[in-house]
Amino acid sequence: MHKEDPQLRAYFARASFLKSAPDPAHLPADRGAEIAFAGRSNAGKSSALNALCAQKTLARASKRPGRTQLLNVFVLDESKRLVDLPGYGYAEAPKEMRQNWGLVMDEYFSSRQSLKLTVLMMDIRHPLRPFDEMLIESCTARGLPVHVLLTKADKLSRGAAMGVLQKLRHALPEGVSVQLFSVLSGQGIEEARGFLRGVLEEHGQAEVPAEES
Ligand code: GDP
């Protein structure tokens, strides 16, 4: 089956919940490296976060629209964070709430210096919906890379899943990578962890605090 590197697992298993921020202004200081998790509601974002961090209840985000408008911050250490963004695409959410979502996300993507990667969860059976395209555009416009997890890959045959993967590899713009992912079979968890650790290690070196006078 899918082998796990215990060190790589432990790297993410140390993740712990820090806080929920109502907007980017309430996030921790903009230092170190941050990776954002985004996706349509029901794309498998909570399941992916929990699987990557080898924890059952890390991402407890409520499924109710009113409770999803928060940025949930998890820390690996003082200079490395994972941020669970509000799920988008709730048909039943009020219009103002959806508009507000767009504004909050734009503000976050354009201003957050420590944000080094967005992980975008897309159900392999419904990839690249308009909201996904909008989000990819927001990120790539400011040179922020996006890594797409094609979730629930177990729902398709191996051949069909590979077909979607190849198609997206061609369709996605530069700066956007893509892989298969399934929490059910374990496919792609190791690959995603390796990719994310690479980003965090490249950008998330702890800064030596200036000596206080
Ligand atoms: P979120 O709204 O994006 O956080 O999505 P959830 O993580 O809550 O998942 C939505 C639904 O998809 C749940 O019923 C999960 O059990 C299911 N799901 C998530 N990941 C997988 C997967 O890898 N395989 C399958 N078959 N179902 C999954």
Side-chain angles (χ1 to χ4, degrees):
M1 286 300 286
H2 299 282
K3 283 235 177 80
E4 263 198 335
D5 169 353
Q7 273 187 338
L8 187 55
R9 180 186 200 273
Y11 186 90
F12 288 96
R14 64 191 162 140
S16 67
F17 176 76
L18 177 72
K19 69 183 288 193
S20 288
D23 55 55
H26 290 83
L27 288 171
D30 197 1
R31 288 195 293 268
E34 195 163 286
I35 293 181
F37 284 73
R40 288 176 55 83
S41 49
N42 214 39
K45 181 159 61 74
S46 313
S47 306
L49 253 167
N50 287 337
L52 290 169
C53 297
Q55 297 183 34
K56 286 203 175 79
T57 56
L58 191 69
R60 291 156 298 177
S62 161
K63 300 292 158 223
R64 300 244 309 274
R67 301 223 192 118
T68 57
Q69 306 295 306
L70 292 169
L71 300 103
N72 293 308
V73 184
F74 305 96
V75 290
L76 298 182
D77 65 30
E78 60 188 8
S79 63
K80 300 178 189 74
R81 294 177 298 280
L82 308 176
V83 176
D84 186 12
L85 302 179
Y88 51 87
Y90 275 108
E92 68 271 32
K95 195 171 171 215
E96 315 84 71
M97 198 177 268
R98 279 183 276 138
Q99 283 175 340
N100 185 50
W101 182 92
L103 291 175
V104 169
M105 288 305 107
D106 270 352
E107 184 192 342
Y108 174 63
F109 291 129
S110 59
S111 66
R112 192 78 174 157
Q113 293 304 308
S114 57
L115 177 60
K116 302 302 180 193
L117 174 74
T118 298
V119 179
L120 172 59
M121 267 60 55
M122 301 196 300
D123 188 320
I124 193 162
R125 299 163 300 174
H126 316 289
L128 273 191
R129 290 289 176 89
F131 264 119
D132 301 319
E133 299 205 15
M134 214 176 71
L135 185 128
I136 289 171
E137 169 62 28
S138 288
C139 292
T140 52
R142 65 144 271 203
L144 177 67
V146 178
H147 188 63
V148 174
L149 302 183
L150 290 173
T151 59
K152 314 184 195 180
D154 57 275
K155 294 274 193 187
L156 297 185
S157 70
R158 195 182 134 74
M162 288 304 290
V164 177
L165 179 66
Q166 292 307 341
K167 220 167 157 178
L168 281 175
R169 278 205 173 121
H170 286 108
L172 290 168
E174 212 186 313
V176 185
S177 47
V178 55
Q179 65 158 94
L180 299 177
F181 192 86
S182 165
V183 297
L184 214 74
S185 72
Q187 180 180 18
I189 295 178
E190 191 82 350
E191 183 183 347
R193 280 185 186 146
F195 190 91
L196 269 58
R197 180 173 65 177
V199 171
L200 292 169
E201 286 301 304
E202 185 182 346
H203 301 284
Q205 293 316 313
E207 286 154 38
V208 182
E211 239 172 86
E212 305 206 22
S213 50

